[in-house]
Amino acid sequence: MVTLDVRPQLLDTLSALRDRVAAARFPLPLAGAPRARANRDELLAQLDDYLVPRLRAPEAPLLAVVGGSTGAGKSTLVNSLVGRRVSEAGVIRPTTRTPVLVCHPADHHWFSGVRVLPDLARVWLPHHDPRDDDLLLPADQPARALRIETAETLPRGLALLDAPDVDSLVAENRVLAAELLCAADIWVMVTSAARYADAVPWHLLRTAKEYDATLVTVLDRVPHQVVSEVSRQYAALLTKAGLGDVPRFTVPELPESVWSAGLLPATAVAPLRAWLAHHAQDPGARQYVMARTAHGLLDSLRTRMPELAGAAAAQYAAALRLTSAVEGAYDGEHARLRARLQSGAVLAGDALKRWRAFPLDCTAGELLDALVESLAALLLCAVTAADERVAEAWQREPAAQAPGLAGRDPSPESAEHRIGLAVRRWRRELEEYAEEEARELERAVAPDPEAVAALAATALLGGRRARNAGERLADRVGAHGALRLRDRAERLLTEHVDRVVHRERERRLAPLDALDIHPEPQAELIAALSVLQKER
């Protein structure tokens, strides 16, 4: 007989695996990312809400979660199993839907805390008169809440949970319904004669089969005239899906349920109630239910963990492609920029005009202004060209459509402002170097530091168009001073240009870096699974 393994070592291994799953991120919109995110969330819910709590407290009551589509009769079924109205019944659900958990008063402590479903706030209401039609919670209820009810009519060791509709129009309700099913020892899937072939309930049935969960199906609201035919067709569908051995209960459509406070006759739900009570109270049956659901979940990790690891690897590969596109574009434009600086591209347009007029019709300050403006324009062109290459490359990458990356339009104005600050800083430092050289000269009349700086900048940035700038600089500060100033100015320019390109590249990569995509999750997920397999 299958037994439940509750060794502390297994719990520690599961906790480590759970942390690895929680750390996995799939922010890039790749083809498999939505499925990976859903699988991760579902797996976390199963680990947090079922497997770990169950292994830590195997003596806790069995939790049977009653799920199904809108109008399938879940709440009526729960009310009838309890023997009084604890959950609002109706074909059309309210916009908000709070799940209701019912247990024996002696089992209340198992569910009043955060042992299971820790993310749901617990709320309690005083017992209602069965004739009271208003079972809605107060307006100030928490957004995600679980209402706890107790009933002496339920056997000890069994709790029923009426979940929201799995096909609810409200997305939060659908998510909550799936989360609640993940916490179940027993899945009680309810469908109706009118909807037993719908896709939604069959998706849940196939999921239960995939995880080898303990499953019960209830075919509800079946008209008397077609009970045999509908039951036969439903059984055939279950058999075809490989679920022929699943316990199946049929509840006929009865007029009593319409006017009997939402309750079915006890005889209509007696077989299901007896089955649930037996599995909650018989030690062997109870052990089998817990072990089957737990082992089914553990076995499912053999395929689910590699799927998550593969999705994590795909995320990292896509992030690498995006990063490489940015780095390649900026490296290429950086190399082109250095070549243009070497060729004297800065000394063009207004800067060239000012140089030709210097010093008769142009002051040193005006020449420096023109050179700084031309240098800033050259840097801005390089950054803009790099961003355009990035945008072109990213258009071919679906991953680039991630929020924060999609539609990013680098602002030329802000880049122009940042580059302008950097170039003006270079000018100030160059002028300080020129002033130092001028002070060191042993002359009665020292040369104008601004003119020295203008000549040094022209000689550095002008290329062949400014061949005589070096000679004129040497006339003012001497050959050694001119060479020393030229070298210092060149190193300073290289530092500032490299810093500008680096910072703009980092700004372009910042949204991608913020997604925090790393290669480690793939290996960590596989390693965690390997350790678990050895521990089992």
Side-chain angles (χ1 to χ4, degrees), residues 159-473:
L160 299 177
L161 199 160
D162 184 14
D165 303 325
V166 295
D167 59 350
S168 172
L169 295 177
V170 182
E172 291 81 359
N173 286 350
R174 297 195 301 271
V175 172
L176 180 56
E179 182 180 335
L180 295 175
L181 283 170
C182 291
D185 290 290
I186 301 172
W187 293 27
V188 182
M189 304 308 302
V190 184
T191 188
S192 65
R195 305 191 62 181
Y196 68 87
D198 287 0
V200 172
W202 281 100
H203 170 72
L204 293 175
L205 289 171
R206 283 190 290 269
T207 301
K209 180 177 183 293
E210 178 184 350
Y211 300 156
D212 198 25
T214 302
L215 175 65
V216 176
T217 68
V218 178
L219 184 59
D220 197 10
R221 295 179 175 171
V222 184
H224 278 286
Q225 304 89 326
V226 293
V227 166
S228 298
E229 178 63 19
V230 171
S231 297
R232 183 187 62 79
Q233 292 179 2
Y234 187 49
L237 290 175
L238 288 171
T239 301
K240 184 178 180 180
L243 296 166
D245 60 342
V246 171
R248 178 169 48 88
F249 300 90
T250 301
V251 178
E253 188 174 48
L254 299 172
E256 291 92 329
S257 62
V258 177
W259 47 264
S260 185
L263 300 181
L264 297 167
T267 54
V269 296
L272 175 60
R273 195 178 194 282
W275 189 94
L276 291 171
H278 169 71
H279 285 79
Q281 295 180 322
D282 180 81
R286 171 187 168 83
Q287 177 73 12
Y288 175 78
V289 165
M290 292 189 300
R292 175 176 178 174
T293 303
H295 282 286
L297 176 53
L298 287 170
D299 291 342
S300 73
L301 297 178
R302 296 173 185 169
T303 56
R304 297 164 77 185
M305 293 292 285
E307 285 182 8
L308 288 179
Q315 291 279 315
Y316 181 64
L320 274 183
R321 292 195 298 272
L322 296 178
T323 301
S324 297
V326 174
E327 292 179 343
Y330 272 86
D331 287 347
E333 291 301 325
H334 193 186
R336 189 174 291 107
L337 174 63
R338 286 195 296 266
R340 297 195 68 189
L341 289 173
Q342 191 72 26
S343 67
V346 173
L347 194 61
D350 186 58
L352 180 59
K353 178 181 176 182
R354 297 287 183 181
W355 165 241
R356 288 172 176 170
F358 178 79
L360 298 178
D361 297 323
C362 175
T363 66
E366 291 172 338
L367 176 57
L368 278 172
D369 288 342
L371 289 170
V372 164
E373 183 178 347
S374 181
L375 176 59
L378 194 65
L379 286 170
L380 181 61
C381 285
V383 169
T384 302
D387 281 335
E388 289 174 352
R389 290 177 59 183
V390 170
E392 182 181 356
W394 279 18
Q395 282 181 351
R396 299 188 292 270
E397 286 286 348
Q401 300 305 312
L405 299 181
R408 183 183 183 276
D409 183 18
S411 171
E413 291 78 12
S414 61
E416 182 177 4
H417 175 71
R418 293 190 297 272
I419 291 171
L421 289 176
V423 172
R424 287 192 293 273
R425 190 177 300 114
W426 170 78
R427 172 183 174 172
R428 286 196 302 272
E429 294 181 21
L430 176 62
E431 289 175 334
E432 291 173 1
Y433 288 160
E435 190 173 351
E436 290 178 12
E437 290 293 338
R439 283 200 305 265
E440 291 179 2
L441 292 175
E442 297 179 356
R443 296 181 183 177
V445 180
D448 177 20
E450 192 172 40
V452 171
L455 288 171
T458 304
L460 177 63
L461 300 172
R464 288 182 296 178
R465 295 192 186 97
R467 283 191 296 267
N468 64 338
E471 299 172 359
R472 293 163 68 174
L473 177 62

